[in-house]
Amino acid sequence: MNGIETETKCETLLVAQEGGVAVITLNRPDAMNALNAKLLSELNTVLDKCDADPEIGCVVLTGGEKAFAAGADIKEMKDKSFADAFNTDFIAPYDAIASHKKPLIAAVSGFALGGGMELAMICDMIIAADSAQFGQPEIQLGIMPGAGGTQRLTRAVGKAKAMDLCLTGRRIDAEEAERSGLVARVVPQTALMEETMKIASKIASFSQPAVAMIKKSINTSMATPLPEGIRQERHLFYSTFATEDQKEGMAAFTEKRKPDFKDR
């Protein structure tokens, strides 16, 4: 086994490593992978370890065939008061997940609903099986999305579609999700992990500093006006010329050979 596997023991997650890719599997099958405090805490702990491990260049987050995650754990939330929710800020672990540096790919099969859809949207891209279903059904419970559902969804699919999904609680299938810009690719159910691992392995093979800069720049574009995003992109682009990998990558191109990136 690789390092991330041997050092990580979780109650709600399965963790494996294939080459430069860490694979984290949500593992609460009896609850359709409902997201509780324990799972989110363990997920952040594992992602911290992935960020600190120079051998890991990309992370894949997945669930079961029937459900990526069917939502937040309603049993855990139903008796909370406003003071409980506000004082404990129990949504904060979602924000922590979004702050991790390594590229994070959601491989979604089956249901990704409510908090499960919000978790998938926190990831840097979503690869969906043709069986995937997405939705923000919180309105049906007398509440609203609270972990980015009204914000990331709007940025991904636009105001009209976000209003439709959040105000009606309806689900969309993988084809509509791809057509709307929510997911990067749709693949057959049987090929979900194979195709996702190909993508993750390719990302992990590139210069990690360059990958991190691209992730930072694209995320900046979602939160700043265009001129500010362009300024940061330009600064990060110039910064790549301070890396050994830039010299190696361009030398390999001119010499017509495969680059040997050292991640520095």
Side-chain angles (χ1 to χ4, degrees):
M1 290 193 296
N2 293 289
I4 195 71
E5 293 180 71
T6 56
E7 68 183 38
T8 306
K9 295 186 183 301
C10 300
E11 294 178 18
T12 64
L13 306 172
L14 300 175
V15 182
Q17 184 177 346
E18 296 184 28
V21 179
V23 180
I24 304 171
T25 304
L26 307 180
N27 188 37
R28 297 189 70 211
D30 294 341
M32 300 284 281
N33 289 335
L35 307 173
N36 62 6
K38 180 70 172 177
L39 184 152
L40 293 170
S41 175
E42 291 187 339
L43 179 55
N44 273 302
T45 297
V46 175
L47 290 173
D48 283 339
K49 292 179 179 179
C50 291
D51 274 354
D53 190 335
E55 299 300 316
I56 293 174
C58 192
V59 182
V60 171
L61 179 63
T62 192
E65 184 174 328
K66 293 182 179 179
F68 172 75
D73 193 325
I74 304 302
K75 292 180 180 179
E76 189 177 69
M77 292 194 300
K78 67 182 181 66
D79 294 325
K80 286 185 182 295
S81 66
F82 167 77
D84 293 332
F86 185 83
N87 291 335
T88 62
D89 195 11
F90 74 95
I91 296 294
Y94 288 87
D95 297 333
I97 293 165
S99 71
H100 287 93
K101 295 179 180 179
K102 299 290 173 72
L104 182 58
I105 301 175
V108 175
S109 176
F111 299 119
L113 306 176
M117 181 170 171
E118 289 170 315
L119 177 60
M121 290 192 293
I122 286 172
C123 298
D124 297 303
M125 71 174 82
I126 301 172
I127 309 300
D130 52 15
S131 66
Q133 294 187 46
F134 299 88
Q136 297 289 165
E138 289 87 350
I139 190 69
Q140 299 171 11
L141 302 175
I143 59 172
M144 63 173 283
T150 65
Q151 301 301 302
R152 292 187 177 91
L153 181 59
T154 304
R155 285 163 172 78
V157 304
K159 176 185 173 181
K161 183 73 74 172
M163 285 287 191
D164 179 9
L165 297 182
C166 290
L167 290 178
T168 69
R170 79 176 181 93
R171 300 173 186 174
I172 59 175
D173 61 18
E175 181 181 348
E176 184 175 353
E178 183 183 33
R179 189 169 66 245
S180 302
L182 180 64
V183 308
R185 307 184 195 183
V186 177
V187 300
Q189 168 71 56
T190 54
L192 175 63
M193 288 309 296
E194 179 184 356
E195 293 301 316
T196 303
M197 289 302 294
K198 287 179 182 177
I199 296 166
S201 296
K202 186 169 188 177
I203 293 170
S205 73
F206 293 131
S207 166
Q208 287 193 30
V211 167
M213 289 180 190
I214 291 171
K215 174 173 175 170
K216 182 178 179 65
S217 188
I218 292 175
N219 283 337
T220 295
S221 78
M222 304 299 289
T224 60
L226 179 61
E228 177 58 32
I230 292 292
R231 280 193 291 273
Q232 175 158 299
E233 179 190 69
R234 193 71 45 80
H235 172 72
L236 291 171
F237 170 70
Y238 291 152
S239 297
T240 62
F241 286 80
T243 67
E244 292 181 22
D245 286 344
Q246 175 266 333
K247 302 297 185 292
E248 167 61 14
M250 292 190 174
F253 178 83
T254 59
E255 296 165 11
K256 295 181 173 54
R257 60 176 175 82
K258 184 177 179 180
D260 181 20
F261 294 124
K262 302 297 185 182
D263 299 326
R264 56 178 183 260

